[in-house]
């Protein structure tokens, strides 16, 4: 990667990788050090791509940094949002319309959650949170009185609702997402590598949804590195990664070190 930076693709997840996990997903913001490192890398490598379950424009907005480079300042950045269903590039978002099943899930989720005896959080109080991503909906239990218990209680009913509406379930760190089928982070990353004619790849993630991207790195046949942004909540990723770092701060440090190594070799 340092020997041929022009052929390298740097791929990263957003939540838990570029941004610390927080109780309210709307409060998530990129680590300024990670944004600065990506801005350096964007000028050095073939491409930088963020692959996230969030809407692409939301990831860019939450990637703003006061007084420093944000995600929108990364040269040539592409954001593949909603697991690859959306694409942000040069300030423009392209995406297909949401499937009809999402409309039904949006309408039925509150009553389903409350039927299980779980309060829905409003105005930052305790309870189960519903995050509407437009083309997907995520149910968060981090603010519930018993986060793990609420997650267990929700798994089967949400899986049944997803099945009835032709959607897929994506589990995560105290969250269950119901989203369209046919796309995941692995497919999104693999297609991007082909599009850019990549000759090497690094991908960093923190959650179960990033395992597909790890597999895409290996399936590509390219020289590749998988990086786990480690947490106590998800341990499976660490066992499948080439490199394990401590959360978004560790990712920022790794990306900065990679940028310095490429710059040093170019001198």
């Amino acid at each position: 990667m340092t020997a041929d930076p022009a052929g390298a693709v740097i791929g990263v997840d957003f939540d838990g990788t570029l941004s610390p996990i927080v109780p309210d997903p709307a409060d998530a913001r990129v680590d300024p050090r990670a944004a600065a490192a990506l801005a350096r890398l964007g000028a050095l490598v073939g491409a930088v791509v963020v692959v996230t379950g969030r809407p692409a424009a939301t990831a860019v907005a939450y990637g703003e940094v006061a007084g420093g480079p944000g995600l929108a300042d990364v040269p040539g950045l592409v954001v593949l949002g909603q697991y690859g269903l959306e694409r942000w590039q040069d300030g423009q978002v392209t995406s297909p319309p949401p499937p009809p099943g999402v409309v039904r899930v949006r309408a039925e989720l509150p009553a389903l959650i409350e039927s299980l005896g779980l309060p829905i959080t409003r105005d930052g109080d305790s309870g189960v949170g519903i995050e509407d991503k437009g083309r997907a909906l995520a149910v968060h239990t981090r603010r519930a009185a018993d986060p793990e218990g609420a997650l267990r209680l929700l798994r089967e009913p949400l899986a049944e609702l997803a099945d009835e509406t032709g959607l897929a379930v994506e589990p995560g760190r105290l969250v269950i997402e119901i989203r369209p089928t046919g796309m995941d982070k692995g497919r999104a990353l693999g297609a991007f590598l082909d599009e850019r004619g990549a000759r090497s790849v690094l991908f960093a993630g923190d959650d179960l949804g990033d395992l597909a991207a790890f597999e895409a790195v290996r399936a590509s046949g390219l020289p590749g590195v998988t990086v786990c942004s480690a947490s106590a909540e998800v341990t499976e990723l660490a066992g499948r990664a080439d490199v394990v770092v401590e959360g978004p701060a560790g990712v920022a440090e790794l990306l900065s070190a990679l940028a310095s190594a490429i710059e040093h070799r170019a001198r």
Side-chain angles (χ1 to χ4, degrees):
M1 189 168 290
T2 56
D4 179 25
V9 167
I10 306 298
V12 288
D13 170 46
F14 187 83
D15 291 282
T17 303
L18 295 181
S19 166
I21 295 292
V22 292
D24 186 344
D27 293 334
R29 295 296 183 271
V30 70
D31 185 317
R33 296 165 296 179
L38 287 178
R40 291 170 63 196
L41 285 167
L44 298 169
V45 303
V48 174
V49 60
V50 176
V51 189
T52 175
R54 284 190 182 270
T58 300
V60 175
Y62 290 0
E64 293 180 1
V65 175
L71 290 186
D73 300 308
V74 176
L77 178 73
V78 174
V79 180
L80 302 178
Q82 303 272 5
Y83 297 88
L85 290 172
E86 290 185 344
R87 181 178 182 126
W88 180 96
Q89 186 172 2
D90 298 328
Q92 300 294 318
V93 176
T94 55
S95 62
V102 172
V103 176
R104 178 181 163 188
V105 170
R106 181 178 292 114
E108 295 185 9
L109 256 186
L112 184 154
I113 292 169
E114 290 177 337
S115 74
L116 298 171
L118 298 170
I120 296 175
T121 181
R122 294 179 175 87
D123 299 324
D125 56 357
S126 63
V128 172
I130 300 174
E131 181 187 5
D132 192 334
K133 299 184 176 184
R135 289 169 179 77
L137 290 106
V139 179
H140 296 264
T141 66
R142 192 172 295 276
R143 285 186 180 271
D146 177 6
E148 293 287 354
L151 196 69
R152 286 193 297 271
L153 197 59
L154 285 162
R155 279 195 186 107
E156 186 173 343
L158 292 184
E160 290 176 358
L161 181 58
D163 186 60
E164 291 170 5
T165 53
L167 301 174
V169 168
E170 187 75 44
R173 295 168 64 174
L174 297 178
V175 61
I176 299 173
E177 185 168 329
I178 300 179
R179 63 178 183 82
T181 61
M183 183 59 75
D184 59 33
K185 290 185 181 181
R187 294 181 186 183
L189 180 62
F192 188 79
L193 295 176
D194 290 341
E195 171 195 320
R196 293 305 173 99
R199 296 188 292 274
S200 64
V201 55
L202 177 150
F203 185 83
D206 78 303
D207 210 342
L208 297 176
D210 298 308
L211 285 173
F214 278 19
E215 289 304 315
V217 171
R218 296 186 173 94
S220 71
L222 301 172
V225 178
T226 53
V227 180
C228 171
S229 175
S231 73
E233 293 176 341
V234 176
T235 57
E236 184 176 353
L237 221 66
R240 305 277 287 277
D242 299 313
V243 178
V244 179
V245 298
E246 289 300 319
V251 172
E253 184 177 351
L254 175 69
L255 294 176
S256 180
L258 177 59
S260 294
I262 294 172
E263 289 166 345
H264 178 75
R265 189 179 180 95
R267 291 186 188 129

